[in-house]
């Protein structure tokens, strides 16, 4: 096993983890504060990527595409919240699941109708397309380091907001007991709208950051949504700290597992058997991790107060 390869894959896992955190943090806030199951959260990841590509195609400016893509995603999310989602806040989880699943179908088919089914991409500007020497024999793409840095800065920003502002106090109180927050005279509808908008912007930001790295196509948010729910289960619903730790764990376990599990099996199995068993085991590692957490910490590693 090459130490250079291990370092590269660890950085890849960290980059994957911070993208998962951006998605899962918004989803865990929506579920923790609003008790709302939003299956369409992954579709907002897709919408952010598509909107950034659309702006880039019109302007040719990458940084303008990032900013305007976020603004457009925020406006789009607020429209969804006002027209559809707020009518289901008081409904049971089954109604919420059905409504947001319908949104997934509409958004996936809508993106296919507008942009087609062929994969699209967001080209990087020349200034972000180089590599950075980290240690001997290790060059790592500059843009991936920027993604890691942005994710860590957003994580710190969210922590400061949630822990040290009045809005953060309301978010934490809502995650613990939303009915009590409403009884104390807080405008719960405005709180819900703000939390949903923040979660949507985080998901869209993840989609925009991922756009230069992956193929942008209809349905691209579906698999990401599953991983975000895994992160929430491991970290604990309503917990930003839990989402951060769990996202990094999932990113590292998934990336390192897919890179090295097969090599580890070759130590004890014939190469042909290891080649069959290794990828199968690697693909379920994060779900095995989730199962272990559910056995020993059913509420997650860092559940929000009132949910342990």
């Amino acid at each position: 096993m090459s130490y250079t390869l291990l370092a590269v894959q660890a950085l890849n896992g960290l980059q994957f983890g911070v993208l998962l955190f951006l998605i899962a943090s918004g989803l865990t806030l929506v579920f923790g504060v609003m008790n709302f199951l939003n299956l369409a959260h992954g579709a907002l990841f897709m919408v952010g990527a598509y909107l950034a590509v659309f702006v880039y195609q019109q302007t040719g400016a990458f940084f303008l595409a990032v900013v305007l893509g976020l603004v457009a995603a925020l406006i789009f999310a607020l429209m969804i919240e006002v027209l559809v989602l707020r009518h289901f806040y008081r409904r049971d989880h089954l109604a919420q699941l059905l409504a947001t699943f319908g949104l997934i179908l509409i958004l996936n088919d809508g993106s296919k109708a507008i942009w087609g089914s062929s994969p699209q991409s967001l080209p990087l500007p020349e200034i972000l397309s180089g590599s950075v020497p980290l240690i001997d024999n290790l060059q790592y793409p500059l843009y991936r380091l920027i993604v890691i840095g942005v994710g860590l800065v957003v994580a710190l920003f969210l922590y400061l907001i949630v822990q040290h502002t009045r809005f953060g106090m309301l978010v934490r109180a809502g995650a613990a007991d939303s009915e009590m927050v409403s009884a104390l005279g807080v405008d719960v509808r405005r709180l819900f709208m703000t939390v949903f908008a923040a979660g949507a912007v985080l998901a869209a930001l993840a989609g925009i950051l991922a756009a230069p790295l992956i193929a942008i196509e209809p349905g691209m948010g579906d698999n990401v949504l599953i991983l975000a729910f895994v992160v929430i289960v491991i970290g604990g619903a309503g917990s930003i700290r839990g989402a951060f730790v769990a996202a990094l764990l999932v990113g590292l376990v998934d990336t390192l597992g897919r890179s090295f599990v097969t090599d580890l099996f070759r130590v004890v199995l014939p190469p042909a058997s290891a080649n069959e068993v290794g990828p199968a085991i690697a693909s379920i590692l994060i779900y095995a991790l989730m199962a272990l957490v559910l056995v020993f910490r059913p509420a997650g590693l860092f559940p929000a107060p009132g949910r342990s």
Side-chain angles (χ1 to χ4, degrees):
M1 181 186 300
S2 166
Y3 289 108
T4 300
L5 177 60
L6 177 61
V8 168
Q9 293 303 329
L11 287 171
N12 287 340
L14 182 60
Q15 175 242 300
F16 182 37
V18 297
L19 287 177
L20 282 180
F21 167 73
L22 293 175
I23 301 167
S25 58
L27 188 59
T28 197
L29 284 176
V30 169
F31 180 68
V33 176
M34 302 160 60
N35 196 29
F36 185 83
L37 286 175
N38 181 19
L39 292 184
H41 194 77
L44 296 173
F45 170 83
M46 175 191 70
V47 168
Y50 267 120
L51 289 174
V53 169
F54 174 76
V55 175
Y56 181 84
Q57 291 171 346
Q58 305 306 310
T59 65
F62 177 84
F63 296 103
L64 185 62
V66 171
V67 174
L68 293 185
L70 279 177
V71 173
L74 173 60
I75 296 171
F76 181 77
L78 289 174
M79 291 173 56
I80 290 178
E81 196 275 339
V82 171
L83 296 175
V84 181
L85 299 185
R86 68 170 48 177
H87 303 290
F88 291 88
Y89 289 158
R90 301 295 182 183
R91 304 284 292 275
D92 58 33
H93 285 162
L94 178 59
Q96 295 168 0
L97 288 173
L98 291 174
T100 53
F101 181 70
L103 274 177
I104 291 176
L105 299 179
I106 292 171
L107 293 176
N108 284 346
D109 287 344
S111 63
K112 187 180 297 184
I114 296 172
W115 289 288
S117 56
S118 299
Q120 301 194 36
S121 62
L122 180 62
L124 282 175
E126 187 67 28
I127 192 173
L128 300 179
S129 59
S131 297
V132 176
L134 297 180
I135 57 176
D136 291 341
N137 301 320
L138 175 56
Q139 297 271 341
Y140 197 72
L142 171 63
Y143 182 72
R144 289 181 179 268
L145 290 175
I146 291 174
V147 171
I148 293 172
V150 169
L152 295 178
V153 168
V154 170
L156 177 61
F157 184 66
L158 281 176
Y159 172 79
L160 293 175
I161 288 179
V162 171
Q163 296 296 327
H164 299 287
T165 66
R166 183 177 183 275
F167 173 73
M169 178 188 67
L170 293 177
V171 168
R172 286 183 281 120
D177 192 339
S178 60
E179 292 185 1
M180 181 60 71
V181 171
S182 178
L184 292 174
V186 175
D187 187 344
V188 174
R189 172 171 289 189
R190 179 177 295 179
L191 176 64
F192 281 8
M193 183 175 66
T194 305
V195 169
F196 179 80
V201 168
L202 289 170
L205 176 60
I208 293 171
L209 290 175
L213 304 174
I214 61 176
I216 304 168
E217 55 191 354
M220 62 182 284
D222 297 347
N223 291 334
V224 171
L225 177 68
I226 296 173
L227 293 176
F229 274 116
V230 171
V231 168
I232 292 174
V233 170
I234 293 175
S239 171
I240 292 296
R241 179 176 63 161
F244 180 73
V245 173
L248 295 187
L249 276 176
V250 169
L252 289 170
V253 168
D254 185 69
T255 304
L256 295 177
R258 293 180 187 276
S259 300
F260 299 113
V261 163
T262 300
D263 291 336
L264 293 176
F265 273 107
R266 284 178 182 150
V267 177
V268 295
L269 294 175
S273 299
N275 290 337
E276 292 182 4
V277 174
I281 297 297
S283 65
I284 65 170
L285 282 178
I286 58 173
Y287 304 106
L289 175 62
M290 180 179 69
L292 285 174
V293 171
L294 285 173
V295 170
F296 295 104
R297 298 274 295 183
L301 297 177
F302 303 100
R307 292 180 177 269
S308 56

